[in-house]
């Protein structure tokens, strides 16, 4: 959409993308790669490995069988291994001078996903709207809503917002950064944080009455991010990655996702995968290989489940992704209880707490922020699932 050497007309491109994407509203989001369709042990263990989660409620069959839930469960973030709500609308129809970034993920759970259950997911593009100015350039926000079901019953919903940000590919970067090199003091600080990470709450109930507004969640540290961490999350997402002739044919139908590989000059490389490649990431605006955005809410969910204990239930999680986490970055996560309340749903009482959460990198830059609602047990009031609420329908 640009002439060689000319400055792109970003405003015209974003208007074109907005108009074309609105033609897809209500349609199934066919551009989203599907992940696993069953909560088998292989898929669950891949998710646990990718997030560094050793919670025995998910990792130990005997422990889970002795819990209130009477059997092995998938962690809440597992739904992101089924499908990530991140349609890019019409972005793949033709080449735009832009990058897409998962900007926000909002998750609601009605029930647990149990080991061995089939998980069905459906997603649709529900909104295409002008986003905020970034670098004084118009952006486009694309909203996808997904519903997850087990045995035909709703188990969770997710809403994701992808922000398409104009960028002159090959000439501009989304962040003025290089791969971070750690000083001895920084290394010592990370080691101290890892050593101080408290034990998982586990079977000891965290009673609603024992929690106070202002209580801090134990911090959690992940990183520095290496290629292994990047790869294990890609595997946990479970999306197929066809190679050779299969991918070539797919790319012929996605002209907006085609870009020559900066390291080899092969003309039919994937633009949206180049950000994960050391040799081509700078060509698509990334100063270093970048983690996929969906890992942030998965890590946030892990921090919450470590704190709340086996008998609690993560009801809601909303995460705003403030900036990418790059190769070599370390993520320092924390949270704080901001409210206590009792919620009545379908004549059942749920003893709830609202929690503010955040994650910062080694430069003290905010990587994500968000909020959560956790249902805690109270003496004489165990949590009854499923939660009957209309959040789980498209």
């Amino acid at each position: 959409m640009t002439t060689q050497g000319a400055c792109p007309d970003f405003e015209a491109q974003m208007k074109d993308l907005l108009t074309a994407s609105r033609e897809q509203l209500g349609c199934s989001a066919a551009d989203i790669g599907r992940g696993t369709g069953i909560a088998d042990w292989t898929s669950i263990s891949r998710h646990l490995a990718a997030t560094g989660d050793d919670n025995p409620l998910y990792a130990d069959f005997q422990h889970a069988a002795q819990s209130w839930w009477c059997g092995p469960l998938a962690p809440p973030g597992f739904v992101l291994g089924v499908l990530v709500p991140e349609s890019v609308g019409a972005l793949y129809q033709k080449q735009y001078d832009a990058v897409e970034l998962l900007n926000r993920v909002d998750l609601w759970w009605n029930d647990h996903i149990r080991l061995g259950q089939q998980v069905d997911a459906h997603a649709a593009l529900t909104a295409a709207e002008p986003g905020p100015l970034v670098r004084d350039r118009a952006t486009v926000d694309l909203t996808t809503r997904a519903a997850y079901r087990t045995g035909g019953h709703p188990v969770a919903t997710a809403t994701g917002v992808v922000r398409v940000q104009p960028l002159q590919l090959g000439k501009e970067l989304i962040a003025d950064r290089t791969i971070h090199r750690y000083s001895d003091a920084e290394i010592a600080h990370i080691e101290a944080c890892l050593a101080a990470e408290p034990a998982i709450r586990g079977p000891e109930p965290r009673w609603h009455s024992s929690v106070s507004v202002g209580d801090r969640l134990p911090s959690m540290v992940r990183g520095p991010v290496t290629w292994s961490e990047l790869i294990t999350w890609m595997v946990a997402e479970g999306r197929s990655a066809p190679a050779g002739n299969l991918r070539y044919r797919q790319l012929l139908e996605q002209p907006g996702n085609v870009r020559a590989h900066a390291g080899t000059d092969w003309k039919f490389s994937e633009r949206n995968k180049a950000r994960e490649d050391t040799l081509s990431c700078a060509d698509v605006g990334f100063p270093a290989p970048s983690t996929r955005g969906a890992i942030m809410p998965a890590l946030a969910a892990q921090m919450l489940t470590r704190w709340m204990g086996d008998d609690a239930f993560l009801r809601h999680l909303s995460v705003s992704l403030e900036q990418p986490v790059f190769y070599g970055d370390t993520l320092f996560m924390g949270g704080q209880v901001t409210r206590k309340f009792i919620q009545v749903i379908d004549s059942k009482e749920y003893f709830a707490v609202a929690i503010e959460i955040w994650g910062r990198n080694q430069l003290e830059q905010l990587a994500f922020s968000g909020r959560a609602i956790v249902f805690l047990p109270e003496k004489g009031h165990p949590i009854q699932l499923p939660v009957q609420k209309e959040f789980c329908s498209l």
Side-chain angles (χ1 to χ4, degrees):
M1 295 187 66
T2 60
T3 303
Q4 184 71 24
C7 182
D9 187 342
F10 293 125
E11 184 174 357
Q13 290 190 39
M14 292 301 98
K15 286 182 178 179
D16 183 81
L17 174 63
L18 191 61
T19 299
S21 295
R22 284 175 170 168
E23 295 176 0
Q24 300 181 11
L25 296 182
C27 299
S28 178
D31 64 299
I32 302 176
R34 300 303 173 96
T36 183
I38 186 169
D40 58 8
W41 175 239
T42 298
S43 299
I44 292 173
S45 62
R46 285 172 176 169
H47 182 94
L48 298 176
T51 54
D53 193 350
D54 58 352
N55 192 327
L57 185 61
Y58 314 120
D60 186 321
F61 290 179
Q62 183 176 356
H63 178 101
Q66 295 171 348
S67 74
W68 171 250
W69 312 113
C70 300
L73 308 173
F78 180 78
V79 295
L80 298 171
V82 177
L83 183 146
V84 181
E86 55 177 5
S87 174
V88 297
L91 188 63
Y92 289 168
Q93 291 181 356
K94 52 187 170 182
Q95 293 189 355
Y96 296 89
D97 294 281
V99 295
E100 70 270 29
L101 294 168
L102 187 61
N103 182 257
R104 181 170 60 82
V105 177
D106 196 75
L107 291 151
W108 290 90
W109 289 271
N110 289 55
D111 204 346
H112 289 296
I113 295 174
R114 299 178 179 274
L115 178 67
Q117 285 187 318
Q118 182 175 335
V119 186
D120 299 314
H122 173 72
L125 188 69
T126 58
E129 301 294 339
L133 292 178
V134 175
R135 300 187 181 188
D136 295 323
R137 299 169 185 170
T139 64
V140 171
D141 283 352
L142 302 168
T143 302
T144 305
R145 184 169 169 80
Y148 308 85
R149 293 176 172 82
T150 57
H153 301 290
V155 68
T157 58
T159 301
V161 178
V162 170
R163 179 160 295 159
V164 181
Q165 173 183 329
L167 198 73
Q168 196 163 2
L169 301 182
K171 295 183 178 180
E172 294 181 316
L173 299 175
I174 62 170
D176 185 17
R177 293 269 311 273
T178 57
I179 295 176
H180 190 78
R181 298 187 68 89
Y182 290 88
S183 67
D184 290 343
E186 288 174 317
I187 292 171
H189 175 62
I190 294 172
E191 286 187 304
C193 291
L194 290 170
E197 190 170 282
I200 297 167
R201 183 74 177 188
E204 181 183 357
R206 187 175 294 280
W207 305 114
H208 186 263
S209 56
S210 69
V211 174
S212 300
V213 172
D215 285 355
R216 300 291 289 262
L217 272 64
S219 61
M220 194 174 86
V221 181
R222 290 293 179 267
V225 174
T226 66
W227 183 240
S228 294
E229 278 80 19
L230 293 175
I231 287 292
T232 52
W233 179 255
M234 294 177 200
V235 173
E237 283 191 355
R239 307 189 202 191
S240 63
N245 61 324
L246 296 178
R247 193 60 189 139
Y248 173 73
R249 289 201 294 266
Q250 287 185 3
L251 285 172
L252 291 179
E253 298 176 358
Q254 298 178 354
N257 192 28
V258 176
R259 189 167 179 83
H261 190 278
T264 66
D265 290 333
W266 164 239
K267 301 300 182 184
F268 291 91
S269 184
E270 294 179 75
R271 179 189 56 79
N272 69 343
K273 297 294 192 302
R275 67 187 64 182
E276 299 159 352
D277 187 326
T278 304
L279 294 179
S280 60
C281 58
D283 184 57
V284 292
F286 288 76
S290 172
T291 60
R292 295 185 178 182
I295 194 174
M296 295 301 117
L299 290 173
Q302 180 193 352
M303 178 179 65
L304 292 161
T305 54
R306 289 177 61 90
W307 169 82
M308 69 192 198
D310 292 353
D311 296 345
F313 180 69
L314 179 57
R315 168 63 168 160
H316 175 54
L317 175 62
S318 181
V319 175
S320 295
L321 305 173
E322 309 294 343
Q323 63 177 301
V325 173
F326 297 111
Y327 180 99
D329 284 355
T330 300
L331 196 61
F332 299 86
M333 292 166 279
Q336 184 173 21
V337 177
T338 57
R339 182 186 171 209
K340 290 178 63 176
F341 59 101
I342 297 175
Q343 187 171 18
V344 179
I345 303 174
D346 193 32
S347 75
K348 296 178 183 177
E349 284 188 335
Y350 294 93
F351 292 77
V353 293
I355 300 172
E356 177 186 1
I357 57 173
W358 58 82
R360 295 185 175 88
N361 64 20
Q362 70 283 351
L363 301 175
E364 288 295 324
Q365 297 170 332
L366 190 64
F368 73 81
S369 61
R371 60 188 186 278
I373 296 173
V374 172
F375 290 166
L376 294 173
E378 189 50 82
K379 296 175 182 178
H381 295 276
I383 295 171
Q384 302 294 320
L385 297 179
V387 179
Q388 299 297 331
K389 197 68 175 177
E390 63 274 9
F391 292 118
C392 288
S393 60
L394 281 173

